Amino acid sequence: MQFLYPAFLFGLLALAIPVIIHLFNFRRFKTVYFTNVRFLKNIQEETATKSRLKHILVLISRMLAIIFLVLAFAQPFIPSEQSANKATKKAVSIYIDNSFSMEAVNNDEQLLNIAKRKAEEIVNGYTIDDQFQLLTNDMEAKHQRLVSKEEMLQMITQVQCTPEVRSLSEIVKRQRDILNRDKAQSQKNIYAISDFQKNAAGFENDTTLNINLVHLQGKDQRNLAIDSVWFAGPVQILNQPIQLCYTISNYGEDEITNAPVTLKLNEQIKSIADITIPPLSKITDTMTFTLNEAGWYNGELGVKDYPVTFDDVLYFTFQPVSQIPVITINGKTENTFIQSLIGKNSLFALTNNNVAQIDFSSLDKFDLIILNEVKSISGGLADALNQQLERGCNIIIFPPADMDVATVNNFLQMNSAGTYGNYVKSKRNVTAINTKNPVFTDVFEKVPKNLSLPFATESFQINAFSQTIEEMVMEFGDHRPMVAGYPAKQGVIYLSAVPLVREITDLQVQASLFAPMMYKIAVSTQKKMSLYVTIGETKWIDLPGINLTGDATLKVKSNNNEFIPEIRKAGNLTAVNLSDYTNVSGIYTLLQPGAPEGNTNQTLALNYNRSESDLSFETAASLKERYNAANINVIDDINRDFAGVVTQMNEGTPLWKFCIIFVLIFLAAEILLIRFLP
């Protein structure tokens, strides 16, 4: 035990006053004459004994009252570990969890408001000379420094909910780094006020810091969240059924029955479904719809839920395909197999041109270029093909038997692709197909044991080099490719070892392989961005559909915001950064210079991070068990005045109130002794 004002202990000298009074009885006696005093002798002896006991008890009561009165002025306290190392100034960092999970309520008050109020109480528990730092999930620049007490209180009032999600480990590390910048303060205190979700509650302890975890607990644990959406098919085609898949999770402990799920496309309701989800589980379902108009579609999948609402809507954007333009450049005649497979499919718009009559400038219109038995690739054709690869076009080469290997290889070497070697006039059989290649992804759930594989009576050898990235599609028994893909610029060059000639190979009649291969190669040219972007996870968003030249820029517009974002250009690729301009979910429209509103190239969908949807929290007991180090203190009683809690931690446990109580007790005892003890 220590004293805040030990000088008052000199007041204990006042104990001599009651002692002197009781040692020297200054009361004068009055003489009373009796005729006979022999009857008073026994009474006098008994009264003297009681009087002596009464005087001693009164003396003790008075002395104890004086002792505790003096101690109350000296203010004794039991020192804490922090008070044992007092500093003239203290550095205090307070983290307020302002994530969406803090929208939960406790006693009709939002957890975020409780957190802000408790942060103010903590600040008020320190002196005006101490310095403070506020930290939230936003990690704003203004929060990266120490401020005065007055400024800290003002900053706390400005904290609002944010979609940003941070782990406690990241928060504590940032607090430690900021506090360690100032070497003058010898005592550094950290406060983390949060609901401590399990998926983000871990951190590494630093024994040089005094860490205080303020645990808040919401009362309502119900939450329904739309986790994700995706399309069942690789491309969405106009006038054909489109299947939209979605996952919804029930993070509460009660079953959700007949919850309405609504799909809106361009602000119009397209489909409605009712779902039932057991507690602590998720379901996956689909919605089917048909579109008959081209252009970008802004989707909104929503479900009604309360009180946590940030994850009730998931936005997405997409552009259905009417037709994929394909051109076949023929070295000889049109190939009947290509014409039958692609030309008669309504998804594709097939054009045939002879290599001698091709207009190189017209190639910009096509997403897939097929070189069918083209004997040689001239310099002009090579340059035109390279330009198409730059914009993401795919190229397939079916070589003729009499191909000019040197000119074709010159083009392939410019793109670090595989090259053609010797023409082998012996039969080779395909022994393996690569089901992990995007060409055959989702084609087979399991490759049948009796699957018929193609052969070639004569074929080219395809060579790959150390710098070549080869994606095998079909493989001969000698481990050389029959068909292989080679990424080139923004597209892919596919090489076939054989021409599509029935006398040479049966590849083109293997419907279970050739048809899906050609289909997937053509469809893969539709390089679109993701359906949506998660706020906080992706900083740069690629825009495959937009190609800006020179100093051209973009304008981004939403229902209530408009700005010019940061842009990054690399060749024909454009990427945009929205993180410094918005953190609000919704649909954002990209306007190119000079483009009128409504005539846009692309739209973006931004959604909040779903990690806050899981309402699984650490309890105060689990926090105390998990973090039982001497420098970590878990505070779970939010009804206490945190200013007093801070004072107690900084100065120890004060005892002056108990001293006052004892003073009153012993004064009352003195009064009772004098009044009732004879």
Side-chain angles (χ1 to χ4, degrees):
M1 185 176 68
Q2 299 180 9
F3 297 92
L4 191 61
Y5 304 106
F8 280 99
L9 294 177
F10 286 105
L12 293 175
L13 296 176
L15 290 173
I17 297 175
V19 173
I20 293 173
I21 293 175
H22 283 269
L23 288 179
F24 301 95
N25 189 352
F26 296 109
R27 187 170 56 179
R28 296 183 178 182
F29 295 96
K30 183 178 180 180
T31 303
V32 179
Y33 295 95
F34 287 89
T35 56
N36 193 344
V37 294
R38 62 187 179 90
F39 298 108
L40 299 176
K41 183 176 181 181
N42 293 333
I43 296 175
Q44 182 181 8
E45 290 179 355
E46 183 178 351
T47 301
T49 301
K50 289 183 178 181
S51 177
R52 208 176 300 117
L53 176 62
K54 175 181 178 180
H55 289 172
I56 292 173
L57 293 176
V58 169
L59 173 62
I60 293 173
S61 299
R62 288 175 178 174
M63 292 181 67
L64 290 174
I66 292 174
I67 290 173
F68 283 105
L69 181 62
V70 172
L71 292 178
F73 279 99
Q75 294 193 22
F77 65 93
I78 299 175
S80 65
E81 293 184 4
Q82 295 187 29
S83 64
N85 183 26
K86 289 186 178 181
T88 56
K89 288 185 179 181
K90 300 180 180 66
V92 183
S93 176
I94 301 178
Y95 162 63
I96 298 178
D97 183 359
N98 60 336
S99 60
F100 281 134
S101 65
M102 296 289 284
E103 289 181 343
V105 295
N106 187 332
N107 295 330
D108 298 327
E109 185 178 9
Q110 198 176 70
L111 290 186
L112 180 61
N113 293 333
I114 297 176
K116 292 163 66 175
R117 178 160 47 84
K118 292 305 171 183
E120 292 174 349
E121 292 177 3
I122 291 172
V123 173
N124 288 325
Y126 288 89
T127 68
I128 197 171
D129 294 326
D130 296 326
Q131 290 187 303
F132 304 88
Q133 182 251 336
L134 176 66
L135 197 63
T136 66
N137 290 337
D138 297 302
M139 289 194 176
E140 298 178 73
K142 64 180 181 180
H143 293 161
Q144 310 303 309
R145 59 189 179 89
L146 295 172
V147 299
S148 64
K149 183 176 182 178
E150 181 180 357
E151 188 175 354
M152 180 68 171
L153 292 172
Q154 183 178 2
M155 292 168 63
I156 290 174
T157 62
Q158 299 171 355
V159 176
Q160 301 293 331
C161 273
T162 179
E164 297 290 342
V165 179
R166 310 284 182 179
S167 66
L168 189 59
S169 175
E170 185 179 1
I171 292 297
V172 172
K173 183 178 183 301
R174 181 64 61 90
Q175 289 179 298
R176 179 188 61 202
D177 293 343
I178 294 174
L179 292 182
N180 287 339
R181 292 176 190 171
D182 193 345
K183 305 298 183 181
Q185 281 78 11
S186 61
Q187 188 179 122
K188 300 176 175 63
N189 304 289
I190 282 179
Y191 293 86
I193 310 176
S194 173
D195 53 10
F196 296 100
Q197 284 185 288
K198 287 185 177 180
N199 55 14
F203 71 94
E204 185 176 350
N205 184 26
D206 185 345
T207 57
T208 63
L209 303 172
N210 298 314
I211 302 175
N212 303 279
L213 307 179
V214 182
H215 181 264
L216 304 182
Q217 180 66 57
K219 298 299 183 183
D220 199 335
Q221 301 296 320
R222 169 194 168 106
N223 188 33
L224 202 62
I226 301 179
D227 294 332
S228 59
V229 299
W230 69 95
F231 287 108
V235 63
Q236 293 71 57
I237 306 171
L238 291 177
N239 302 312
Q240 293 189 22
I242 299 173
Q243 283 192 325
L244 179 71
C245 306
Y246 60 89
T247 299
I248 298 182
S249 294
N250 178 11
Y251 292 101
E253 298 181 353
D254 298 322
E255 184 180 54
I256 304 296
T257 58
N258 298 324
V261 180
T262 304
L263 172 64
K264 291 182 180 180
L265 294 178
N266 291 346
E267 302 296 334
Q268 295 183 351
I269 296 178
K270 205 69 178 178
S271 182
I272 298 177
D274 292 332
I275 60 170
T276 298
I277 311 179
L280 302 176
S281 61
K282 65 175 62 178
I283 66 165
T284 298
D285 207 344
T286 60
M287 287 183 171
T288 303
F289 55 91
T290 303
L291 301 175
N292 52 26
E293 294 183 4
W296 280 92
Y297 281 84
N298 303 324
E300 178 181 329
L301 190 69
V303 64
K304 290 185 178 180
D305 184 38
Y306 182 81
V308 180
T309 60
F310 78 93
D311 50 13
D312 294 348
V313 176
L314 195 144
Y315 301 96
F316 60 97
T317 63
F318 67 101
Q319 186 180 32
V321 174
S322 55
Q323 283 188 316
I324 299 175
V326 179
I327 184 173
T328 300
I329 301 177
N330 299 298
K332 299 178 182 178
T333 60
E334 295 180 6
N335 188 283
T336 56
F337 297 102
I338 296 176
Q339 189 67 32
S340 176
L341 178 64
I342 297 180
K344 294 182 180 181
N345 191 324
S346 60
L347 174 60
F348 304 105
L350 179 62
T351 301
N352 280 281
N353 274 106
N354 188 275
V355 67
Q357 301 171 344
I358 187 69
D359 179 7
F360 295 153
S361 62
S362 67
L363 296 181
D364 291 339
K365 303 175 183 178
F366 303 99
D367 294 336
L368 175 63
I369 299 174
I370 302 175
L371 299 183
N372 175 45
E373 295 190 270
V374 174
K375 185 175 181 179
S376 64
I377 297 179
S378 65
L381 179 58
D383 292 339
L385 294 177
N386 284 327
Q387 291 179 10
Q388 306 318 309
L389 289 171
E390 286 280 2
R391 65 179 182 85
C393 182
N394 286 352
I395 298 174
I396 309 177
I397 299 179
F398 294 106
D402 58 347
M403 181 178 64
D404 185 353
V405 175
T407 61
V408 175
N409 283 347
N410 285 338
F411 164 71
L412 296 175
Q413 289 171 350
M414 283 190 289
N415 294 284
S416 299
T419 58
Y420 286 103
N422 298 329
Y423 191 69
V424 180
K425 292 187 177 182
S426 59
K427 186 177 180 180
R428 292 196 291 175
N429 293 309
V430 171
T431 57
I433 61 173
N434 183 10
T435 56
K436 295 182 179 180
N437 190 292
V439 167
F440 286 126
T441 301
D442 302 328
V443 173
F444 304 101
E445 289 185 4
K446 185 178 181 181
V447 178
K449 292 182 179 180
N450 59 349
L451 178 65
S452 177
L453 298 176
F455 67 88
T457 57
E458 51 188 66
S459 56
F460 283 96
Q461 286 188 337
I462 298 177
N463 303 313
F465 304 97
S466 58
Q467 73 274 18
T468 302
I469 300 175
E470 184 177 73
E471 298 174 350
M472 189 71 69
V473 178
M474 298 184 192
E475 187 178 63
F476 286 125
D478 59 0
H479 303 296
R480 295 290 185 93
M482 182 182 200
V483 180
Y486 303 89
K489 299 180 174 64
Q490 303 305 316
V492 180
I493 298 175
Y494 290 91
L495 300 184
S496 170
V498 295
L500 296 180
V501 177
R502 187 66 184 90
E503 293 77 17
I504 295 178
T505 181
D506 66 342
L507 170 63
Q508 62 273 28
V509 297
Q510 296 287 348
S512 59
L513 295 177
F514 184 67
M517 180 185 76
M518 296 296 292
Y519 177 85
K520 293 291 286 290
I521 290 175
V523 167
S524 66
T525 62
Q526 307 304 298
K527 296 179 174 65
K528 297 176 297 185
M529 58 177 298
S530 301
L531 293 178
Y532 56 88
V533 177
T534 300
I535 295 174
E537 289 186 354
T538 304
K539 185 173 183 180
W540 289 98
I541 305 170
D542 291 331
L543 307 175
I546 294 179
N547 182 16
L548 298 177
T549 58
D551 296 330
T553 185
L554 287 173
K555 182 187 293 184
V556 178
K557 186 177 181 180
S558 65
N559 291 335
N560 52 12
N561 196 6
E562 184 175 329
F563 55 88
I564 297 176
E566 184 180 0
I567 292 176
R568 182 175 65 187
K569 292 183 288 186
N572 291 330
L573 285 182
T574 301
V576 64
N577 175 20
L578 305 183
S579 59
D580 295 333
Y581 304 90
T582 183
N583 60 357
V584 179
S585 67
I587 302 295
Y588 289 80
T589 303
L590 304 179
L591 296 170
Q592 292 196 54
E597 295 188 20
N599 184 22
T600 60
N601 295 85
Q602 193 166 302
T603 54
L604 297 173
L606 271 63
N607 287 296
Y608 296 131
N609 193 309
R610 262 44 183 180
S611 63
E612 287 287 303
S613 300
D614 187 358
L615 302 183
S616 299
F617 304 100
E618 295 280 0
T619 64
S622 65
L623 285 176
K624 291 177 181 178
E625 181 179 357
R626 185 174 183 178
Y627 303 111
N628 55 5
N631 64 309
I632 300 179
N633 180 35
V634 178
I635 306 173
D636 59 341
D637 186 2
I638 62 174
N639 295 319
R640 296 178 62 185
D641 179 11
F642 278 28
V645 174
V646 171
T647 301
Q648 178 175 328
M649 287 190 299
N650 290 334
E651 299 181 358
T653 305
L655 303 176
W656 64 270
K657 292 182 181 180
F658 298 101
C659 294
I660 294 296
I661 292 173
F662 282 119
V663 169
L664 297 176
I665 290 174
F666 289 118
L667 288 178
E670 179 187 357
I671 294 173
L672 293 175
L673 287 171
I674 294 175
R675 184 175 181 85
F676 297 105
L677 191 64

